[in-house]
Amino acid sequence: MFFLSQQRPLELTKEQKCKRIMTFAGLSDISIPQDIPVEGEITIPVRSRIREFDSSTLNESVQNTIMRDLKAVGKKFMHVLYPRKSNTLLRDWDLWGPLILCVTLALMLQRGSVDSEKDGGPQFAEVFVIVWFGAVTITLNSKLLGGNISFFQSLCVLGYCILPLTMAMLVCRLVLLAEPGPINFMVRLFVVIIMFAWSIVASTAFLADSQPPNRKALAVYPVFLFYFVISWMILTFTPQ
């Protein structure tokens, strides 16, 4: 015991002393004063809470929700009317606009039936099925070609780009109120061709960048056929 108590500590070399000083030099400034208690509570700033509350849609009224959705649909309509390369339709996709356009177009393509036993119901179903089946087929074709666009994003773009053809159908219905003749047909033909080209340009502006460069033609060709069929239905429409 006496030997252990009287044993002298090992002396450090100058190099070891320098290493120890450099190791603990950075810890001298991290000391905690005795008068400051090491305790507390993690809280979220008030501004962050207000921002999170404002961005939540769970507490908004039904009227605000409907108005917000209608504004979003109106903005997408404006993007179609003024086609340019943008990812708005792809980023904030929805199917409310395509549904409204499809129902409106099918109602305007509804023929008045002379036979009282037929109310023209299957005509509405035919238009509805053609529009949605064509959009689904084009979407599947785009995915099989390696497109980097989701299924519902493609449906959203194809559905919203029916807007010019819906406008063409409205103009044709007004023109058909006049007496039929070659001038009547030429006016309808001109309007349908312009709106058909408008739909093609608008859809390709949103879908062009989502396809591989060497397969864009294969992706655009079914879109051309899709809008061509709808345009032909509009051009050959007769009230009776």
Side-chain angles (χ1 to χ4, degrees), residues 1 9 19 35 48 56 63 66 71 77 84 86 90 93-94 117 124 146 170-171 176-177 181 190 193 220 236:
M1 296 295 293
K19 289 183 178 180
D35 56 344
S48 299
S56 176
Q63 181 180 0
I66 295 175
K71 289 180 180 179
F77 283 156
R84 58 189 181 278
S86 174
L90 301 180
W93 63 267
D94 66 80
E117 296 180 357
F124 179 89
L170 179 60
V171 174
L176 287 171
L177 296 177
F190 176 76
I193 290 177
V220 174
T236 58

Side-chain angles (χ1 to χ4, degrees), residues 8 16 18 20 28 41 46-48 57 64 70 75 95 104 106 110 115 152 157-158 162 175 197 200 203-204 208:
R8 298 176 61 185
Q16 291 176 339
C18 292
R20 182 169 295 185
S28 59
E41 180 182 357
V46 178
R47 292 182 179 179
S48 299
T57 59
N64 292 337
L70 289 178
K75 290 180 179 179
L95 299 180
T104 304
Q110 189 82 1
D115 191 355
F152 291 105
V157 172
L158 294 172
I162 301 177
V175 173
I200 294 294
S203 60
T204 52

Side-chain angles (χ1 to χ4, degrees), residues 13 24 93 160:
T13 63
F24 294 99
W93 63 267
Y160 270 101

Side-chain angles (χ1 to χ4, degrees), residues 55-228:
S55 61
S56 176
T57 59
L58 297 177
N59 298 320
E60 68 179 4
S61 62
V62 178
Q63 181 180 0
N64 292 337
T65 302
I66 295 175
M67 292 304 298
R68 175 171 52 81
D69 293 339
L70 289 178
K71 289 180 180 179
V73 171
K75 290 180 179 179
K76 294 183 179 65
F77 283 156
M78 293 304 299
H79 279 279
V80 175
L81 293 176
Y82 180 62
R84 58 189 181 278
K85 288 188 177 181
S86 174
N87 59 351
T88 302
L89 290 182
L90 301 180
R91 185 180 64 250
D92 304 325
W93 63 267
D94 66 80
L95 299 180
W96 287 113
L99 179 61
I100 294 173
L101 292 175
C102 181
V103 172
T104 304
L105 183 62
L107 288 175
M108 287 192 294
L109 285 171
Q110 189 82 1
R111 289 185 176 88
S113 179
V114 180
D115 191 355
S116 60
E117 296 180 357
K118 298 180 180 180
D119 56 356
Q123 297 171 7
F124 179 89
E126 288 172 3
V127 175
F128 202 86
V129 169
I130 288 174
V131 171
W132 285 101
F133 181 76
V136 170
T137 303
I138 295 174
T139 302
L140 292 177
N141 177 72
S142 175
K143 295 297 291 181
L144 292 176
L145 290 175
N148 55 357
I149 185 173
S150 69
F151 183 82
F152 291 105
Q153 285 177 337
S154 180
L155 286 180
C156 174
V157 172
L158 294 172
Y160 270 101
C161 290
I162 301 177
L163 176 62
L165 294 176
T166 306
M167 297 169 59
M169 185 64 216
L170 179 60
V171 174
C172 290
R173 291 284 301 206
L174 295 176
V175 173
L176 287 171
L177 296 177
E179 295 181 1
I183 298 179
N184 191 313
F185 177 78
M186 293 301 296
V187 171
R188 290 189 290 123
L189 178 62
F190 176 76
V191 172
V192 171
I193 290 177
I194 294 297
M195 295 305 178
F196 167 70
W198 199 337
S199 296
I200 294 294
V201 172
S203 60
T204 52
F206 296 109
L207 298 177
D209 295 336
S210 64
Q211 298 296 327
N214 57 342
R215 298 181 178 179
K216 286 185 179 181
L218 295 176
V220 174
Y221 179 69
V223 177
F224 176 87
L225 291 179
F226 173 65
Y227 291 121
F228 178 79

